């Protein structure tokens, strides 16, 4: 997949890039940064990376002009450090370096606390739901390192490799990425082998397939004879296990937008009805029948209203929503609530240690 070019904003006044301010770091925010509020005369919100809430730091502005409502910046000097601050294990992590990791300067337990705060805040702000969800560790990494079974690099002239800086096309030469796993993914879940294209999607944390399938099945409790929809089905990870659970008397339909993944889904999940095509468009024209259960595993932007309302139209007793973005999840949960579905359970997993990313599984019931 081609990398999306970095969009250049139109300048609104004089640039403040390079300006430095001393400030106390506020709460963590969605996206791998913390909020800093500058005192007058600047009176500006700055989204700051490489900081921890409560620290006193020197912030250097990396993006922003006089006319912008907010700026972006890096904590380039720590004046009063948090007790959770650690030396980043990777020499390429830090201001102006590789943009792949957000939290290498934070002790692993506090990383999960920060992610927990983000998930709860997004649910409260966007879905009006107060949750006590906690981000859980998942077996398969080495103290937050050596877990990424698929990694992309930029090839440098002469054969070297590089990663990009945060929000930039500038390159940083990389010798050894410490979150990359030394072992490639074996494409297995709960002992079952799945065929996956070399460039196809598969969870990159070794523990992810097992924990996600187990959680979805525990939440949905599929019964023999039930009818299931697996949306954004990929290569059939959830569909295969749902088919086992509902048996010959049940029905499982898997819909996936990527044609190559759909072909593999048919091989990986015998007995499942596999349909290739845009999920929203397929649901608008086909499978207009009641379903007992739905699994939603959309891309980062979420399912959105059109798909959520198509799901609701099938009147499932339960929906398991697998989300890699808590903001998109919260927005979609709010739409489900408009139609009488409540958030009955939610779990969150640290499948991307050292980064701000977090995976959630939510159960929605009527």
């Amino acid at each position: 997949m081609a990398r999306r070019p970095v969009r250049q904003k139109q300048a609104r006044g004089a640039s403040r890039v390079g300006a430095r301010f001393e400030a106390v770091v506020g709460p963590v925010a969605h996206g791998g940064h913390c909020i800093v509020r500058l005192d007058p005369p600047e009176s500006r919100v700055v989204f700051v990376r490489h900081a921890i809430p409560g620290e006193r730091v020197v912030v250097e502005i990396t993006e922003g002009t006089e006319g912008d409502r907010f700026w972006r910046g890096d904590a380039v000097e720590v004046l009063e450090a948090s007790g959770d601050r650690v030396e980043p294990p990777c020499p390429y992590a830090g201001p102006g370096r590789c943009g792949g990791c957000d939290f290498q300067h934070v002790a692993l337990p506090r990383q999960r606390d920060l992610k927990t705060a983000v998930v709860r805040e997004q649910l409260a702000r966007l879905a009006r739901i107060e949750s006590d969800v906690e981000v859980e560790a998942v077996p398969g990494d080495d103290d937050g390192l050596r877990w990424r079974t698929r990694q992309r690099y930029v090839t440098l002239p002469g054969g070297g490799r590089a990663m990009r800086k945060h929000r930039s096309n500038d390159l940083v030469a990389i010798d050894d990425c410490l979150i990359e796993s030394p072992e490639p993914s074996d494409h297995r879940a709960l002992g079952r082998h799945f065929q996956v294209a070399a460039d196809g999607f598969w969870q990159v944390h070794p523990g992810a397939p097992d924990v996600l399938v187990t959680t979805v099945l525990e939440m949905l409790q599929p019964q023999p004879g039930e009818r299931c929809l697996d949306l954004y089905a990929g290569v059939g990870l959830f569909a295969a296990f749902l088919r086992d659970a509902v048996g010959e008397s049940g029905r499982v339909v898997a819909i996936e937008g990527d044609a190559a993944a759909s072909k593999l889904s048919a091989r990986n999940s015998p007995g499942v009805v596999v349909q290739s095509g845009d999920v929203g468009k397929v649901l608008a024209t086909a499978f207009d029948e009641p379903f007992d259960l739905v699994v939603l595993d959309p891309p980062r932007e979420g399912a959105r209203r059109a798909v959520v309302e198509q799901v609701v139209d099938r009147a499932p007793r339960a929906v398991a929503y697998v989300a890699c973005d808590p903001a998109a999840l919260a927005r979609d949960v709010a739409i489900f609530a408009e139609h009488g579905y409540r958030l009955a359970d939610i779990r969150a997993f640290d499948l991307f240690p050292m980064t701000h990313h977090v995976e959630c599984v939510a159960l929605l019931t009527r």
Side-chain angles (χ1 to χ4, degrees):
M1 181 183 295
R3 180 180 171 86
R4 180 181 298 176
V6 176
R7 184 172 61 183
Q8 299 297 321
K9 293 196 307 181
Q10 184 175 355
R12 292 185 288 185
S15 172
R16 297 308 306 273
V17 173
R20 291 192 172 196
F21 304 93
E22 183 178 319
V24 175
V25 180
V28 67
H30 180 39
H33 43 250
C34 295
I35 295 173
V36 165
R37 299 182 185 275
L38 298 181
D39 295 330
E42 285 75 21
S43 301
R44 203 85 48 164
V45 168
V46 186
F47 295 109
V48 178
R49 300 182 82 236
H50 312 293
I52 302 175
E55 292 186 323
R56 180 173 292 278
V57 301
V58 174
V59 176
E60 181 175 304
I61 305 304
T62 56
E63 294 181 41
T65 68
E66 292 286 2
D68 291 331
R69 291 187 301 108
F70 64 85
W71 297 336
R72 297 182 183 273
D74 286 341
V76 294
E77 186 178 346
V78 180
L79 305 177
E80 296 177 14
S82 165
D84 295 306
R85 178 171 284 274
V86 297
E87 184 69 23
C90 175
Y92 307 110
R97 301 173 188 170
C98 172
C101 292
D102 309 291
F103 291 150
Q104 287 217 9
H105 62 288
V106 187
L108 197 55
R110 186 66 189 283
Q111 291 184 30
R112 295 180 182 130
D113 290 343
L114 295 177
K115 296 181 188 186
T116 293
V118 169
V119 174
R120 292 181 180 181
E121 190 272 339
Q122 295 298 302
L123 287 171
R125 185 170 63 86
L126 299 174
R128 302 292 186 264
I129 293 173
E130 298 298 326
S131 173
D132 59 0
V133 63
E134 297 273 355
V135 174
E136 306 171 36
V138 176
D141 57 66
D142 182 7
D143 289 329
L145 302 175
R146 299 303 188 192
W147 52 267
R148 192 174 182 91
T149 57
R150 290 187 171 197
Q151 182 67 291
R152 293 180 180 179
Y153 296 97
V154 178
T155 302
L156 295 173
R161 58 187 187 177
M163 302 288 281
R164 290 183 171 87
K165 296 182 180 180
H166 181 62
R167 293 175 59 84
S168 171
N169 285 324
D170 293 344
L171 300 179
V172 177
I174 299 290
D175 178 41
D176 179 23
C177 174
L178 293 186
I179 65 170
E180 184 178 14
S181 172
E183 301 293 333
S185 174
D186 67 1
H187 307 320
R188 290 184 182 273
L190 298 179
R192 183 196 295 261
H193 178 75
F194 287 81
Q195 295 185 50
V196 182
D199 59 349
F201 176 78
W202 186 256
Q203 291 284 345
V204 294
H205 191 289
D210 284 5
V211 75
L212 293 178
V213 170
T214 299
T215 302
V216 165
L217 294 178
E218 288 177 348
M219 285 184 173
L220 291 181
Q221 292 293 304
Q223 301 299 310
E226 288 195 306
R227 297 152 299 178
C228 308
L229 262 180
D230 184 7
L231 305 180
Y232 310 95
V235 298
L237 174 63
F238 298 111
F241 292 97
L242 288 170
R243 184 71 179 85
D244 290 346
V246 301
E248 293 296 326
S249 60
R251 174 172 164 85
V252 179
V253 175
I255 304 174
E256 165 59 40
D258 184 83
S262 287
K263 289 181 180 179
L264 292 172
S265 179
R267 299 179 195 172
N268 292 328
S269 47
V272 171
V273 177
V274 177
Q275 177 67 53
S276 178
D278 176 87
V279 169
K281 292 178 180 178
V282 171
L283 290 180
T285 58
F287 307 109
D288 188 14
E289 61 199 74
F291 281 87
D292 300 291
L293 303 172
V294 175
V295 176
L296 268 173
D297 187 8
R300 190 166 302 280
E301 62 266 23
R304 298 187 175 181
R305 181 172 294 275
V307 170
V308 170
E309 293 186 341
Q310 290 286 353
V311 169
V312 169
D313 187 57
R314 272 73 178 176
R317 67 168 176 82
V319 177
Y321 192 132
V322 183
C324 59
D325 185 276
L329 171 65
R331 286 191 292 266
D332 286 346
V333 165
I335 299 170
F336 272 106
E338 295 173 13
H339 298 276
Y341 283 81
R342 68 180 184 90
L343 182 65
D345 194 9
I346 183 170
R347 294 180 68 185
F349 301 103
D350 194 14
L351 299 184
F352 311 94
M354 303 296 167
T355 81
H356 75 273
H357 298 289
V358 58
E359 194 91 0
C360 297
V361 183
L363 174 65
L364 297 150
T365 61
R366 291 189 295 175

